[in-house]
Amino acid sequence: MFRYRNEELAKQILEKLKDLNLNLRLMHVCGTHQDTLVRFGLNSMLKEAGIEVRPGPGCPVCVTTAKEIEEAILLARKEKVVATFGDMFRVPGERLSLADVKAEGFDVRVVYSITDCISLAEKTNKDVVFFSIGFETTTPATASVISTRPTNFSILSAHRLIPPAMEALIRMGEMKIDGFINPGHVSTIIGERPYEFISKRYKMPQVIAGFEPLDVLIAVYMLAMQIIRGEAKVENEYKRVVRPEGNEKAQQTMAEVFEPFDCSWRGFPVIPSSGLRLKKKFEKYDARRRYEDELSALDNEYKEPEGCRCGEILRGLVYPDECPLFGKVCTPRHPVGPCMVSREGSCNIMLRYGES
Ligand code: SF4
């Protein structure tokens, strides 16, 4: 790992980038990349070299919509046991979070994995709902335990796919993007191929990158080289972990259980084929089908919290300190929006390290 934290080499790459005299805007779609860029001060050093790297919709907690959170809240209030991950527990829906609902006396649990949740269901007669979030990285784990689920267990899926969101960013055309740094974790599962249409259709350079400072700098350099040469292809900087074909077993497990559907993301309009729902043969485990009547009471549209700019942050349009609530009204202790709750959220990262 420390090979990838070599300060001397980092300086050399930055000098080379400076010499290229570029003016580029790149985007990544991964909360861990944002952490690396900010924690190691790479963003400001890259800016000096004429390269801006903006965060996109790379935090699964942050892109979960207020409507999905309201669904989980409603099910908790209808006497189901609702379990989810720690970050999701604290994100407000339109007004309240699952943590608030727990404080009202309803049964909401924080779990570390879906298997914890299944154990919970085995120990109770009550209906247990797992509010399941994550990109391609975590979906195979959810899919892999489908056959071992007890009958009082179901999934409220908020799983999503990254490549359709990258395409949506390009198609929306709200700002120029010269290239993408692609997420290492997601790519471990999906490999290189699912990104290729983006390069072909939109002439967009892409490089899959790891999470150490040198990984990110090398990926930026590889993108700069593609741009100078007028190329647009998918390259892989993270070959020590990501295979071109990805993890085929995980892909198979995911495809057996889930199917894509058109899905809203926080801050985005509906993105075609970007969400994952359980296939019909697993419908008895799908909380949306199982509790369809109860959930039909919900509105279709929920507003973002007043003043919160998470939607624009997730589209890469503004930085966290451009939100008037940042660090004043909205803090990790009292978060207004999801980007302040999750440690992968841009607002949380900026407040922790003091820069964007
Ligand atoms: S600082 Fe808080 S309110 Fe503002 S965009 Fe970030 S999470 Fe939303």
Side-chain angles (χ1 to χ4, degrees):
M1 178 172 93
F2 292 104
R3 275 194 307 144
Y4 289 87
R5 293 192 182 183
N6 182 322
E7 203 178 324
E8 202 39 53
L9 204 47
K11 278 185 190 151
Q12 285 174 25
I13 297 169
L14 283 159
E15 282 309 313
K16 274 182 182 288
L17 285 168
K18 261 189 205 157
D19 292 345
L20 295 173
N21 201 17
L22 296 165
N23 177 15
L24 299 180
R25 181 184 287 143
L26 308 177
M27 180 173 268
H28 70 76
V29 282
C30 173
T32 315
H33 279 152
Q34 181 65 3
D35 189 279
T36 302
L37 282 155
V38 176
R39 180 149 57 109
F40 294 96
L42 301 183
N43 265 345
S44 41
M45 291 188 267
L46 284 166
K47 271 185 194 153
E48 284 170 25
I51 297 169
E52 186 188 19
V53 185
R54 292 218 169 209
C59 156
V61 170
C62 306
V63 298
T64 301
T65 61
K67 163 104 189 263
E68 289 164 318
I69 298 166
E70 292 295 333
E71 287 177 319
I73 288 174
L74 183 139
L75 293 176
R77 285 184 164 151
K78 296 280 182 188
E79 306 300 332
K80 323 294 181 227
V81 181
V82 172
T84 193
F85 298 127
D87 280 356
M88 204 64 246
F89 180 66
R90 298 181 57 231
V91 178
E94 191 166 59
R95 207 168 48 80
L96 299 179
S97 64
L98 283 165
D100 296 323
V101 172
K102 185 179 177 70
E104 288 175 358
F106 295 102
D107 198 346
V108 181
R109 314 279 182 101
V110 172
V111 290
Y112 293 101
S113 69
I114 187 167
T115 40
D116 289 350
C117 195
I118 288 174
S119 310
L120 181 65
E122 283 165 351
K123 290 182 199 135
T124 177
N125 291 327
K126 290 177 80 177
D127 282 0
V128 175
V129 178
F130 182 51
F131 185 23
S132 186
I133 62 154
F135 299 132
E136 292 90 334
T137 328
T138 45
T139 313
T142 309
S144 67
V145 291
I146 193 85
S147 56
T148 61
R149 280 170 199 165
T151 50
N152 61 336
F153 181 88
S154 62
I155 288 175
L156 184 65
S157 172
H159 286 293
R160 288 176 167 78
L161 301 166
I162 278 286
M166 294 165 67
E167 182 183 29
L169 284 160
I170 301 169
R171 288 178 73 95
M172 287 163 76
E174 293 180 302
M175 65 171 187
K176 178 180 85 100
I177 301 169
D178 296 305
F180 276 109
I181 300 173
N182 292 3
H185 294 139
V186 165
S187 307
T188 306
I189 304 296
I190 67 175
E192 299 172 12
R193 211 180 46 232
Y195 302 112
E196 284 170 358
F197 79 97
I198 298 173
S199 287
K200 285 194 184 117
R201 200 173 292 164
Y202 303 100
K203 305 207 179 324
M204 181 63 68
Q206 302 176 77
V207 175
I208 297 166
F211 302 102
E212 292 297 327
L214 277 185
D215 284 316
V216 176
L217 286 178
I218 292 168
V220 170
Y221 187 78
M222 289 165 77
L223 282 168
M225 287 296 109
Q226 280 199 48
I227 292 162
I228 287 169
R229 291 194 291 256
E231 294 172 350
K233 58 187 178 185
V234 180
E235 289 184 292
N236 185 1
E237 180 281 332
Y238 202 27
K239 283 192 174 140
R240 66 187 188 278
V241 175
V242 174
R243 284 175 290 170
E245 70 282 10
N247 181 335
E248 289 172 317
K249 177 85 181 72
Q251 290 164 27
Q252 231 172 42
T253 309
M254 213 157 61
E256 271 165 27
V257 175
F258 286 100
E259 63 186 7
F261 75 106
D262 300 348
C263 172
S264 294
W265 296 46
R266 188 180 294 261
F268 287 77
V270 171
I271 304 178
S273 300
S274 67
L276 288 173
R277 64 183 172 204
L278 288 165
K279 284 186 165 170
K280 190 151 175 48
K281 64 177 169 177
F282 298 109
E283 68 183 351
K284 64 181 175 185
Y285 298 114
D286 184 343
R288 286 197 184 88
R289 287 190 174 127
R290 194 156 162 166
Y291 307 117
E292 199 174 351
D293 289 347
E294 287 156 270
L295 291 171
S296 67
L298 289 174
D299 286 339
N300 270 329
E301 294 298 329
Y302 282 91
K303 290 193 203 86
E304 294 295 310
E306 182 100 16
C308 173
R309 301 191 74 180
C310 279
E312 292 158 279
I313 288 171
L314 292 165
R315 301 202 304 280
L317 300 179
V318 297
Y319 284 109
D321 54 358
E322 292 175 69
C323 171
L325 309 185
F326 177 77
K328 298 176 194 122
V329 178
C330 181
T331 62
R333 261 181 98 81
H334 300 287
V336 175
C339 301
M340 188 59 88
V341 177
S342 170
R343 288 181 71 80
E344 294 188 26
S346 296
C347 301
N348 182 295
I349 291 171
M350 186 172 184
L351 207 67
R352 258 186 296 136
Y353 298 118
E355 64 169 293
S356 62

